[in-house]
Every structure is written in C-alpha cells, then in structure tokens.
Amino acid sequence: MARLLPNGVRDFSFGPNQTGILTFSDFPSYAPPEDASYALMTAHGLLRQADSKLVVGGYVAEGTDIRATVTRLLANGTLDPSVAAQPVTFEFSRNEVANQSIILAVAQQADGKL
C-alpha cells in the first residue's frame, strides 16, 4: 500500500520505514520463517476509522492453507500498539480439502464492530 499527497506524490511520512509505502513484510510479526517457502500476504479491504486508524483485511497463504487476516494501523502506517498481537489470523471454517478463509472487504457497523 502507499499513501499519496493531494498532488499525487508519495507521502514519505507514511509507513514503518518512512518510505510512503507499506508492505506487510516491513513488520517483524508478519515476516515468515527463513526456511518457509511462502510469503504471500494480500490485502483486499481498507477502512479508515473515525480516529484515523486504518483497518486492513485480507489473507495470508502458507502453502495451501489460506487464513483470513486483519491488521490495525495508526494513521502514520505503523502497527497499532493497542492491539496485542498482529496480524490477527483466523479461519471462517475448516475444510481439509481446500482450507481457504479470505477477507475481500472491510466495513464498520454503527456500533463500531468490524
């Protein structure tokens, strides 16, 4: 992901490395083990909350196992420290043949729940 200024130039104040670009691999909690043959983490949904925090939903693939994932970021593109463990990954259901749980969009209800 990248954040752009109104003139279309990359906002270099955004992201954990202040590059204007955010990749999940920038965060230690998202880094796959060195011996892993996977590193696919894809974001599909983005929501800006009233407090300017960003909620990103998508999935992480580990081999043939695909799990839904949600992350909350501060407005500057760094992990929100109020969320104890990120990414939050989960399965909607378990299917031994094709285990795939994917988030394609993120929305917030009137009561604040995602």
Side-chain angles (χ1 to χ4, degrees), residues 50-112:
D51 60 3
S52 295
K53 292 181 181 177
L54 304 170
V55 177
V56 181
Y59 65 89
V60 59
E62 299 177 8
T64 59
D65 190 31
I66 298 175
R67 293 188 322 266
T69 184
V70 177
T71 299
R72 189 166 64 189
L73 306 170
L74 299 177
N76 66 1
T78 58
L79 289 174
D80 182 351
S82 70
V83 179
Q86 293 197 67
V88 176
T89 60
F90 54 93
E91 298 172 344
F92 294 114
S93 64
R94 185 75 174 157
N95 180 337
E96 295 301 327
V97 175
N99 182 33
Q100 298 183 351
S101 296
I102 298 172
I103 295 174
L104 296 176
V106 181
Q108 187 169 359
Q109 299 177 159
D111 63 3

Side-chain angles (χ1 to χ4, degrees), residues 4 6 9 25 27 34-35 39 42 45-47 52-53 64 66 71 77 97 104 106-107 110 112:
L4 304 178
V9 174
S25 60
F27 302 110
E34 289 183 25
D35 61 347
T42 303
L46 177 65
L47 168 74
S52 295
K53 292 181 181 177
T64 59
I66 298 175
T71 299
V97 175
L104 296 176
V106 181

